[in-house]
Amino acid sequence: MADALTVLGIESSCDDTAAAVLNIGKDDDSRPEILSSVVYGQADLHARFGGVVPEIAARAHAERLDLCVKEALSEAHLCLDAVDLVAVTAGPGLIGGVISGVMCAKGIAMGANLPLIGVNHLAGHALTPRLTDGLTYPYLMLLVSGGHCQFLTVRGCRAFKRLGGTIDDAPGEAFDKVARILGLGQPGGPMVEREALEGDENRFALPRPLLDRAGCDMSFSGLKTAVLRTRQTLEAEKNGLTAGDRADLCAGFQAAMRDVLAAKTRQALAIHMAEYPDEPAFAVAGGVAANKVICAQLETVAEEFGARFSAPPLALCTDNAAMIAYAGGLRYLMGEQDGMDLAARPRWPLDTESPAMLGSGKKGSKA
Ligand code: KG4
Ligand code: ZN
């Protein structure tokens, strides 16, 4: 298709090795088409360590990237000759993994004589609502994952303004830690959500941090510690937790998380809509958006404000390479390109004008 740009995307910034092929219309009005999106997860490799081990992740990316690219091309029924651009996550992320992806992309670009573009992983997430739902700029975005939590006004493929974010743990990180505290498996989010179905969210009074503060910064570290203290108190009282205690704690924790995210979304929407009152839209992405209770509450908040709500399908909410191909393709169509000196950037804020956050999820690198 001469009027479309065919982009090979590569993603390896954390624990998912991913490749995708995407067509983007050169005319801005046409919708992009995902021809393939392949993700090789690494959960099995990291499970016994209770978290992602950077060295193991980097090695697995290096071993699997070429297979993943091959599979993505084969699923798209294309060979490299049909590709117009190689887009790769160049950060932020775990340095070893990002280097693996950048080296792989450089090799392909050089070997096939293709242009190369390095993409900010967070831009990939932030632009996904355009890819999946055709949202028009500007829109408000809540990126809520295992390593990040921030509100962004998205005004263009290179124009992001951070309105606020977590000053300590990311919500997914807090879900994972609470699961560990309660002896549940990893990743913690789905485990806690399942336990919470049976629980009473009102039994334990857990904190809703920073609700008294203006703006949309958040904090989740104290909430997680409150779960730990409650567990310790229960254990001291009766020598262990019952299934009911565990379910009630999960429900209480999830409700506190839901309430904080909803309240801060109200503040962020008010700030965003003061500047952009017409046809407001609010999108959420990242693994925590998979939580039904939280997602439903965020949709209700969007309705309160008369804003269109978008939550991409789960496979495009979590890490994938289609979003990288899309973000890279958009920038290439605006005349940007990188050279063979493209460097991996483990830290790479999306909004370089706002002051750095105190913390953006302690894992810092995972988005
Ligand atoms: O976006 P993601 O797949 O990976 C990155 O962090 O980049 O997000 C993973 C995080 C994990 O912390 C996981 O526990 C959380 O998202 N998560 C959930 C749910 N499913 C995944 N948190 C709450 N409820 C869920 N259903
Ligand atoms: Zn991510």
Side-chain angles (χ1 to χ4, degrees):
M1 243 204 293
D3 54 351
L5 183 79
T6 302
V7 189
L8 170 66
I10 295 175
E11 155 63 36
S12 57
S13 62
C14 191
D15 56 351
D16 290 306
T17 311
V21 182
L22 181 103
N23 270 345
I24 306 183
K26 291 179 183 165
D27 152 21
D28 204 24
D29 289 340
S30 56
R31 284 291 278 274
E33 187 189 1
I34 299 172
L35 305 181
S36 65
S37 180
V38 177
V39 180
Y40 294 168
Q42 300 181 357
D44 51 333
L45 299 179
H46 303 286
R48 69 195 170 98
F49 302 102
V52 178
V53 183
E55 292 76 12
I56 294 177
R59 179 180 293 263
H61 288 307
E63 284 170 357
R64 298 173 180 183
L65 269 164
D66 54 347
L67 296 174
C68 194
V69 168
K70 211 167 149 189
E71 193 174 327
L73 286 168
S74 143
E75 266 188 31
H77 305 292
L78 292 178
C79 51
L80 218 41
D81 298 351
V83 171
D84 300 310
L85 171 71
V86 183
V88 62
T89 300
L94 299 172
I95 183 71
V98 180
I99 289 177
S100 300
V102 168
M103 295 306 286
C104 172
K106 282 184 183 175
I108 293 171
M110 188 176 263
N113 199 21
L114 289 170
L116 171 74
I117 193 152
V119 173
N120 184 311
H121 177 90
L122 301 174
H125 280 303
L127 294 167
T128 298
R130 275 181 72 76
L131 169 64
T132 56
D133 282 350
L135 283 200
T136 51
Y137 304 125
Y139 54 86
L140 177 71
M141 174 87 207
L142 170 60
L143 176 56
V144 66
S145 71
H148 277 266
C149 183
Q150 46 187 305
F151 288 103
L152 295 163
T153 285
V154 183
R155 290 170 298 167
C157 70
R158 291 176 301 186
F160 307 96
K161 183 166 179 213
R162 200 189 61 230
L163 304 182
T166 180
I167 59 168
D168 43 51
D169 290 359
E173 187 179 4
F175 266 101
D176 293 342
K177 286 179 181 169
V178 163
R180 233 167 272 143
I181 289 168
L182 298 178
L184 304 169
Q186 297 291 318
M191 300 288 180
V192 171
E193 182 173 20
R194 205 171 54 210
E195 289 282 320
L197 286 174
E198 309 293 324
D200 169 7
E201 67 173 59
N202 298 313
R203 176 168 159 209
F204 300 108
L206 294 172
R208 269 89 172 138
L210 297 195
L211 283 200
D212 53 348
R213 199 194 274 187
C216 44
D217 281 346
M218 293 161 278
S219 162
F220 300 107
S221 159
L223 173 57
K224 162 207 73 194
T225 307
V227 173
L228 175 63
R229 298 270 175 273
T230 311
R231 186 202 79 184
Q232 288 166 339
T233 308
L234 288 168
E235 277 174 344
E237 278 168 7
K238 51 185 186 185
N239 243 341
L241 291 188
T242 64
D245 294 337
R246 201 172 279 120
D248 293 344
L249 262 173
C250 285
F253 166 78
Q254 181 176 265
M257 185 66 85
R258 173 200 67 202
D259 292 349
V260 172
L261 289 172
K264 293 296 177 177
T265 296
R266 283 191 191 94
Q267 317 243 47
L269 268 168
I271 297 169
H272 173 81
M273 287 174 63
E275 199 166 354
Y276 304 104
D278 299 331
E279 296 181 40
F282 169 56
V284 58
V288 180
N291 185 291
K292 292 192 185 62
V293 171
I294 291 174
C295 198
Q297 187 67 29
L298 296 178
E299 184 166 11
T300 305
V301 173
E303 276 166 17
E304 279 169 30
F305 281 74
R308 177 176 170 193
F309 180 73
S310 162
L314 191 57
L316 294 172
C317 253
T318 53
D319 286 352
N320 66 88
M323 67 179 190
I324 303 303
Y326 181 59
L330 289 180
R331 280 191 27 228
Y332 181 75
L333 289 174
M334 293 181 76
E336 285 187 40
Q337 192 176 323
D338 284 299
M340 282 297 144
D341 56 351
L342 172 68
R345 296 177 64 177
R347 298 203 171 269
W348 184 2
L350 252 193
D351 174 358
T352 45
E353 286 177 11
S354 298
M357 297 292 294
L358 291 175
S360 58
K362 282 182 188 148
K363 281 190 218 160
S365 46
K366 198 180 173 199

